Amino acid sequence: MECPHLSSSVCIAPDSAKFPNGSPSSWCCSVCRSNKSPWVCLTCSSVHCGRYVNGHAKKHYEDAQIPLTNHKKSEKQEKAQHTVCMDCSSYSTYCYRCDDFVINDTKLGLVQKVREHLQNLENSAFTADRHRKRKLLENSSLNSKLLKVNGSTTAICATGLRNLGNTCFMNAILQSLSNIEQFCCYFKELPAVELRNGKTAGRRTYHTRSQGDNNVSLVEEFRKTLCALWQGSQTAFSPESLFYVVWKIMPNFRGYQQQDAHEFMRYLLDHLHLELQGGFNGISRSSILQENSTLSASNKCCINGASTVVTAIFGGILQNEVNCLICGTESRKFDPFLDLSLDIPSQFRNKRSKNQENGPVCSLRDCLRSFTDLEELDETELYMCHKCKKKQKSTKKFWIQKLPKVLCLHLKRFHWTAYLRNKVDTYVEFPLRGLDMKCYLLEPENSGPENCLYDLAAVVVHHGSGVGSGHYTAYATHEGRWFHFNDSTVTLTDEDTVVKAKAYILFYVERQAKAGSDKL
């Protein structure tokens, strides 16, 4: 939006010596000393944390307004409003009086000059840090690709994703998808699409929720984000352009409140699928898929139209059998799926840790068995029998008619009660290798032994008690090593740590024939 308060609020010199030392994205709040989500006031250059940390940036603005409410505003007071601040990570500008991000600038272009100065400080700090790391690495073993930083083991080849304000749900999903090799490689190999021309060509744009530009591409921004990861050229990447597109085409995710990672993943895959089906920049994305010989026609599963890389990799087919208990009429229906949502059986819901002694540990096999077992529908789900001509009691059973190349399993940890949504915090044991899905197939005899085995590629974990709060992180394997992705922080981890995680979403990749034969 066009903010009318910039001229009275942006008072600091672009190269102000009042700025703290070090990287702007790591500056600490002057009140609580937190280095998460730092914002700098463009009136006095003080640094405070954002509203989703401890909210000291907003409190700084509110405290500055107190003298103005009880006295007639003098010209000096009018100029010192402390209304506008800048995100030290994404360099976007926010006005508290407008309560929105702003896109305009002062007549002298002070906002852009401050932005460029912060970027230069960030780049200088990053260059110095990278040079220091390179010297340390040269002194270490040639086989070691790790670096000790602040007591933790950090993988220098991996890139984190900056939290833009409770966007950990998005970061965890993006990091997981970036480690599904065939899916990620498809997008990274797509030709780049230039959406901007004329005066804005080649320039970085700062999007806001108030802009009316509809010329956006989720596929393009998703491609750019994947390309930025695993390059090793930066410690953290800011996915602000992708988040802007998400705001534009997925209204449910506008704002900065915590969201459900599984819901976001489904929206993301569905919208990628829809956009890939259409022509883009004169090239049909579906035709690119058809040229990819590794994704044969037998691996495609059409959902809402033509097949795309989304359905070719994540798409499977369920057979839903419903039997009338009165006349015995059987109804069969085939449903395509991109993921399976599994209930945690009720008998395990008090089992909160792997080492708890009271009762057996819930396993992923228990959840899959509960999903595919014969179930009698209750009174609220009576089946309309076409033979009886009325709703009757019935049974339901799921079979998997076709397994996907990547099996995405969602554990239903959030359940509605009368007034709120509770979390099922039960530990569920899951295998890292050899998940055998053959016993859940409709026709297992038509599948080879290796086609039913899956190895874990990534895990999304929810930390906390509720869907609207808490924090998301992800574990993923890359080139034989496991990494923990916690927003901008990426650390090397081990298999023992991964298997202890309370998984929320599991990504299993179909095993190639040359792999071993250990099973779940």
Side-chain angles (χ1 to χ4, degrees):
M1 61 161 288
E2 298 282 338
C3 174
H5 309 113
L6 292 183
S7 59
S8 60
S9 296
V10 182
C11 306
I12 61 175
D15 56 349
S16 174
K18 296 181 180 179
F19 287 135
N21 295 324
S23 167
S25 63
S26 300
W27 285 347
C28 295
C29 172
S30 59
V31 178
C32 65
R33 307 308 299 168
S34 171
N35 63 352
K36 294 181 179 179
S37 185
W39 292 73
V40 60
C41 175
L42 298 189
T43 300
C44 63
S45 73
S46 60
V47 177
H48 297 89
C49 59
R51 67 175 68 191
Y52 296 106
V53 182
N54 291 314
H56 288 125
K58 185 178 181 181
K59 190 175 187 304
H60 173 71
Y61 155 71
E62 292 171 345
D63 290 345
Q65 309 314 303
I66 294 175
L68 302 181
T69 58
N70 299 322
H71 303 86
K72 184 177 180 181
K73 297 178 184 178
S74 66
E75 182 179 353
K76 184 176 181 180
Q77 286 174 323
E78 180 69 31
K79 289 184 178 179
Q81 294 180 0
H82 303 268
T83 300
V84 181
C85 57
M86 181 176 290
D87 187 333
C88 299
S89 296
S90 65
Y91 313 116
S92 53
T93 310
Y94 190 87
C95 175
Y96 281 107
R97 289 186 67 183
C98 298
D99 194 25
D100 202 350
F101 289 92
V102 299
I103 59 172
N104 57 316
D105 204 339
T106 64
K107 292 181 179 179
L108 298 177
L110 292 179
V111 173
Q112 181 60 24
K113 289 179 180 178
V114 171
R115 179 179 290 127
E116 291 174 352
H117 181 63
L118 294 186
Q119 288 176 318
N120 290 335
L121 291 177
E122 185 77 27
N123 292 337
S124 298
F126 173 72
T127 301
D129 186 55
R130 185 169 57 178
H131 179 69
R132 180 179 62 85
K133 289 181 179 180
R134 185 182 295 115
K135 294 204 71 176
L136 287 173
L137 187 63
E138 289 171 354
N139 295 330
S140 64
S141 169
L142 293 177
N143 294 326
S144 174
K145 292 186 178 180
L146 306 176
L147 191 65
K148 282 282 187 177
V149 180
N150 298 328
S152 65
T153 306
T154 304
I156 61 172
C157 59
T159 299
L161 288 168
R162 291 195 177 98
N163 193 316
L164 307 179
N166 278 335
T167 56
C168 55
F169 68 94
M170 178 179 73
N171 293 346
I173 294 298
L174 292 176
Q175 293 285 15
S176 298
L177 295 178
S178 76
N179 285 284
I180 298 174
E181 185 176 1
Q182 195 172 17
F183 184 71
C184 179
C185 288
Y186 171 84
F187 285 93
K188 289 165 67 174
E189 291 171 2
L190 287 177
V193 177
E194 183 58 57
L195 296 179
R196 303 188 301 276
N197 50 40
K199 293 183 179 180
T200 61
R203 291 174 52 191
R204 188 179 186 185
T205 57
Y206 295 86
H207 303 296
T208 78
R209 55 186 165 185
S210 300
Q211 283 181 277
D213 178 22
N214 291 318
N215 189 25
V216 296
S217 167
L218 180 64
V219 170
E220 175 65 3
E221 294 305 332
F222 185 67
R223 182 194 69 82
K224 290 178 181 177
T225 302
L226 293 183
C227 288
L229 301 175
W230 294 106
Q231 290 183 342
S233 58
Q234 53 186 335
T235 57
F237 173 75
S238 181
E240 58 192 34
S241 295
L242 175 61
F243 195 40
Y244 161 71
V245 175
V246 169
W247 276 22
K248 283 291 182 183
I249 65 177
M250 305 180 200
N252 290 1
F253 297 95
R254 290 177 183 169
Y256 294 101
Q257 65 272 25
Q258 182 64 281
Q259 302 281 1
D260 184 357
H262 174 252
E263 184 180 358
F264 172 74
M265 182 196 74
R266 284 307 314 267
Y267 270 89
L268 177 66
L269 293 179
D270 287 345
H271 280 81
L272 287 172
H273 172 64
L274 290 174
E275 188 174 318
L276 286 167
Q277 285 180 314
F280 195 80
N281 198 34
I283 302 174
S284 171
R285 302 287 191 175
S286 296
S287 65
I288 298 176
L289 173 65
Q290 292 169 6
E291 293 172 3
N292 190 335
S293 59
T294 62
L295 300 175
S296 63
S298 62
N299 289 324
K300 296 178 183 177
C301 171
C302 295
I303 298 176
N304 297 326
S307 175
T308 67
V309 68
V310 175
T311 54
I313 290 181
F314 290 96
I317 300 175
L318 281 176
Q319 178 178 290
N320 182 2
E321 293 181 358
V322 179
N323 286 276
C324 175
L325 291 177
I326 306 302
C327 68
T329 299
E330 183 180 90
S331 172
R332 295 181 181 180
K333 185 173 68 170
F334 292 95
D335 296 315
F337 68 87
L338 295 179
D339 70 307
L340 298 178
S341 291
L342 310 178
D343 278 307
I344 297 174
S346 57
Q347 66 266 32
F348 296 108
R349 292 191 181 178
N350 293 324
K351 183 81 173 178
R352 303 177 69 87
S353 69
K354 183 176 182 179
N355 298 323
Q356 194 171 323
E357 294 181 359
N358 56 335
V361 174
C362 180
S363 69
L364 191 58
R365 179 184 285 276
D366 293 317
C367 300
L368 286 165
R369 187 184 297 115
S370 175
F371 179 78
T372 56
D373 275 352
L374 188 68
E375 172 190 4
E376 183 173 340
L377 300 178
D378 60 30
E379 295 291 335
T380 61
E381 299 177 296
L382 292 179
Y383 163 64
M384 182 63 190
C385 179
H386 297 291
K387 187 174 181 180
C388 298
K389 304 297 183 183
K390 63 178 181 179
K391 291 185 177 181
Q392 301 282 29
K393 287 188 175 182
S394 58
T395 60
K396 179 181 72 173
K397 180 174 176 60
F398 284 119
W399 293 97
I400 299 177
Q401 198 267 340
K402 174 191 172 294
L403 285 166
K405 297 182 74 64
V406 174
L407 179 63
C408 179
L409 301 176
H410 161 234
L411 299 180
K412 295 163 73 171
R413 291 195 174 273
F414 300 107
H415 290 266
W416 284 105
T417 61
Y419 301 103
L420 48 90
R421 200 176 184 187
N422 288 330
K423 181 180 178 182
V424 179
D425 205 29
T426 302
Y427 171 76
V428 177
E429 193 173 50
F430 55 91
L432 294 181
R433 302 174 190 85
L435 173 62
D436 192 351
M437 295 295 294
K438 191 167 187 175
C439 60
Y440 310 108
L441 282 177
L442 179 64
E443 299 174 340
E445 65 277 4
N446 294 335
S447 299
E450 296 296 343
N451 294 338
C452 302
L453 291 179
Y454 287 81
D455 297 324
L456 190 65
V459 187
V460 173
V461 181
H462 177 268
H463 311 267
S465 58
V467 66
S469 60
H471 183 60
Y472 287 99
T473 65
Y475 293 95
T477 180
H478 183 82
E479 295 181 350
R481 296 183 298 171
W482 281 95
F483 295 87
H484 184 216
F485 298 91
N486 183 5
D487 287 335
S488 57
T489 303
V490 183
T491 56
L492 190 75
T493 188
D494 53 42
E495 294 183 352
D496 290 339
T497 302
V498 177
V499 296
K500 292 177 183 176
K502 293 182 180 178
Y504 182 46
I505 306 173
L506 297 145
F507 296 88
Y508 280 95
V509 177
E510 182 183 50
R511 177 180 290 184
Q512 301 301 313
K514 63 183 180 180
S517 59
D518 50 312
K519 299 181 181 181
L520 170 64

